[in-house]
Each structure stands twice: as C-alpha cells, then as structure tokens.
Amino acid sequence: MDKIKVGIIGTGNISGIYFQNGKRFEAMEVVACADLDVERAKARAAEYGVRGCSVEELLADPDIQMVINLTIPAAHASVCLQALEAGKHVYVEKPLAVSREEGSKVLELAASKGLLVGSAPDTFLGGGIQTAIKLIRDGRIGTPIGATAFMTCGGHESWHPAPEFYYQKGGGPMFDMGPYYLTALIAMLGPISRVTGSARISYPERTITSQPKYGQKVKVEVPTHIAGIMDFAAGPVGTLLTSFDTMGGSTLPRIEVYGSEGTLLVPDPNGFGGEVRIWQAGAREWSDIPLTHGKADNARGVGAADMAKAILSGRKHRASGELAFHVLEAMHGFHDASEQGAHYQMKSTCETPAPLPVGLADFELD
C-alpha cells in the first residue's frame, strides 16, 4: 500500500522510539527529521538512515505530508501551527498545547485547511486498555457506574537530570501524567461533561537530588497535588488523583472501573500492555483476563500510524486532536474549579475513539 511520508521535528530522547516503530507500521514512512539544533538532527538522521535538516527545510519539502511534533510542550502549539500553515497534517506529543486558547487555534486552523491533527498519548491503543474497552462494551461489568484513577509519586527531582519543567507552567502531575489517565478513561467511558476538584502546592520549593544539578532549588509554580471529580456525559462519576507529593509511596491501583455487575482492574495507562483483572458480582476473587489485543510492550507511534492510515483511507483516526483538546480542557478545568470553588462545565466534547478490531498482529491497525 501507499505510505504517508513523515518528517519528525524535535530529535530529543523520545524521538528514538518513533524512528524505530516508524519502520514497523505499514501506513507511514519517516523520511526526514529536523531540530533547532541542525547538527543534532543530522546526527539523529544518520543513526536511522533518514535526511536531517532545518525545520524550515522540512516544512518546505512537498513530499512530506505529515509532521510528528516532538518538541517541548511550550513549543507544541507554535510548531503545530507552522506545520499546518505549510499544508502538513500534524501529530504532536502530549499535551496538545499548554493553554486552551492555543489548542483551539491548532484545531481551527486544521479545520480551515482540511488537515488532520492527532496527539499522544496513544497508549490507550495498546493491548491492556483495548482489552478493558472490549470487556466494558461486552457488558462484563454491566452498566458502568464510576471509576477511580491514581497517579502518585514523590516528584522527579530525585532522578530526572533537568526536573525544573515539571514545576513550571505547563508542568505538574496533572499536565505531565494526566493525559494518560484521562485519555484512557474517555476511551473507556466516553467524554466528560463537568469536573471539580481541589489542588495545592504542597512545597513552594523543591531541592534537586539528581545529577548534574544536585542541590539546586526549584521554585514550584503549579499545583503538585490535585484531587479531581469527573461527571461523564454517559452517567459514570470518576475520581482522579495526581500527585508529586507522596513521599512514602502508595498501594493504590492505577485505574478501576465499577459497574452494576462487577469491577474491572485496568493496567497502567502509561504502558501498552499490563494485567487486566475482573471481579464479577457473586465471585469470590479476581479473575485474570488474557489480553484480547496486541501485546507489544512499546508501540509508541501507533497513534501517528493510525492517523496516517486515516489520511489514506478517509476513515476517522483514534488519537484525534478533538480528544486531546477535551483532555486539555479537563486538566485546566480541575485547576479552575479549585481556584473558583465551583464545578467547571466542559465546553468541548469528543467522539469516543473506535476500538481496535480483535485479532490484529502487533503494529497492525485494521
């Protein structure tokens, strides 16, 4: 079949898995990469046998139909807008943008030009979450009533070489890890109608204990402990806790979904596989469920490949810009609700992504 020719902008560490997996999907071919540091782009290009160039050269290449934007979050919107202005479809790492206003501009420009926007995370297309989606759709837990999701850790300053970003605007546990959890929940339960929550900055300053910045102080600008409540449009009520302040660890599950006929234990949404377990009404213990979908440990890039397939076939793509914007709005909504002491009514909605068919091989989409 034909392949969509793809250029990658941003050649940091995460780009490696996109280059590797880009060779495994039938719908796209990575042919070039670019970076503000052109020499770094050329070095990365030589490593993977593609062309390295400047951002301007990549965007001017008429053969490149789609851009994968792997820049830092603060640059996500501006690079997406540049790619769209150049007539390219664009798939961006999470989050779609830092602000709702920027996210709206990206979607509006894409719509005006008839181009597609997609966004990570695409982990909900992995075997773990897809198996959970199938169980819910098959009625194995009855009617969904609620869900809980927990992302807790002690912060990144103990291990990350440059952790400052995580405590600045656009960072914090909600914007860092919330996209994984919210995307998985929406994929299972549908869009959100309103949110509320409480958020706090527990420590106004953090001390880096990793190298090479050991001992440096970081001023905290964003909430680091956020407890949120979600009303899903279809009826379920969800709870989401994201925290960089659990210094003693946690035994909380990643995600549980509660239904009228049972409970579903959903694996870590920051991965593609994991264990799926169910406790049905009348049972005396958990039952392990074999994965019904692909079992690849790291299929990162599947969302971009799915969008490439959509460009070729005309069908809808799953990791859509509308889904990413809905997640972005919800994350801001938790913060807004805490500041204002009120519920935040969601203004956006999105289609629930279509599940993947059962029986596909790893890296196969249809």
Side-chain angles (χ1 to χ4, degrees):
M1 65 175 294
D2 293 334
K3 291 191 176 187
I4 295 294
K5 287 184 167 45
V6 174
I8 290 176
I9 297 179
T11 55
N13 289 337
I14 198 173
S15 66
I17 191 65
Y18 278 91
F19 281 111
Q20 293 169 35
N21 285 345
K23 298 177 181 179
R24 298 174 174 176
F25 294 109
E26 63 178 3
M28 70 179 187
E29 178 186 6
V30 178
V31 298
C33 65
D35 197 283
L36 287 177
D37 183 342
V38 178
E39 292 308 311
R40 182 167 76 166
K42 289 182 177 179
R44 200 60 147 170
E47 186 179 354
Y48 290 100
V50 302
R51 177 169 60 92
C53 59
S54 69
V55 173
E56 292 74 18
E57 290 171 324
L58 188 149
L59 293 178
D61 186 339
D63 291 332
I64 293 175
Q65 299 159 275
M66 174 175 148
V67 166
I68 296 179
N69 177 1
L70 305 180
T71 58
I72 62 172
H76 280 182
S78 62
V79 172
C80 284
L81 291 170
Q82 289 178 60
L84 292 167
E85 288 287 6
K88 320 291 188 189
H89 305 279
V90 64
Y91 181 90
V92 60
E93 253 300 330
K94 56 87 183 171
L96 173 67
V98 171
S99 72
R100 284 163 287 195
E101 293 75 18
E102 288 178 330
S104 292
K105 288 179 181 178
V106 170
L107 296 188
E108 288 167 4
L109 180 59
S112 72
K113 289 182 169 289
L115 297 168
L116 297 186
V117 173
S119 178
D122 54 8
T123 46
F124 74 96
L125 296 173
I129 304 297
Q130 286 294 307
T131 298
I133 291 170
K134 177 170 171 50
L135 291 168
I136 293 170
R137 290 190 170 217
D138 287 350
R140 293 287 296 277
I141 62 168
T143 302
I145 294 168
T148 55
F150 302 98
M151 195 302 297
T152 60
C153 68
H156 297 347
E157 66 271 21
S158 64
W159 62 271
H160 198 283
E164 298 93 330
F165 157 74
Y166 293 100
Y167 301 101
Q168 297 168 352
K169 184 179 179 182
M174 181 59 73
F175 281 83
D176 176 38
M177 295 299 293
Y180 295 103
Y181 289 78
L182 287 165
T183 301
L185 288 167
I186 293 166
M188 290 186 286
L189 301 174
I192 301 165
S193 59
R194 70 173 186 172
V195 302
T196 191
S198 294
R200 63 173 290 180
I201 296 175
S202 301
Y203 310 100
E205 188 176 79
R206 315 281 285 225
T207 301
I208 299 174
T209 57
S210 61
Q211 296 295 339
K213 298 183 178 183
Y214 182 89
Q216 293 185 24
K217 305 291 185 181
V218 178
K219 181 181 178 182
V220 179
E221 301 175 354
V222 292
T224 52
H225 189 92
I226 303 99
I229 303 292
M230 300 157 283
D231 292 339
F232 290 87
V237 175
T239 301
L240 173 63
L241 173 67
T242 64
S243 181
F244 283 166
D245 300 337
T246 53
M247 304 304 178
S250 170
T251 60
L252 292 166
R254 297 298 187 184
I255 298 177
E256 288 184 347
V257 180
Y258 311 110
S260 59
E261 300 296 330
T263 295
L264 186 62
L265 186 61
V266 181
D268 186 348
N270 191 19
F272 286 86
E275 294 184 350
V276 179
R277 310 183 81 192
I278 193 169
W279 191 315
Q280 291 182 289
R284 296 189 175 185
E285 61 184 10
W286 291 100
S287 296
D288 295 322
I289 303 295
L291 298 188
T292 57
H293 290 69
K295 300 171 181 64
D297 290 333
N298 192 345
R300 192 177 296 274
V302 62
D306 182 71
M307 191 172 93
K309 193 75 173 281
I311 295 168
L312 291 168
S313 68
R315 67 159 170 79
K316 294 180 179 179
H317 58 305
R318 294 173 171 92
S320 69
E322 289 74 19
L323 170 60
F325 182 83
H326 194 59
V327 168
L328 177 66
E329 185 188 7
M331 293 192 296
H332 278 288
F334 291 122
H335 288 176
D336 289 352
S338 180
E339 292 173 4
Q340 298 166 14
H343 278 89
Y344 173 86
Q345 298 288 337
M346 295 285 288
K347 298 176 177 61
S348 70
T349 188
C350 65
E351 290 189 20
T352 306
L356 289 170
V358 175
L360 298 178
D362 287 346
F363 304 102
E364 190 177 10
L365 290 165
D366 291 304

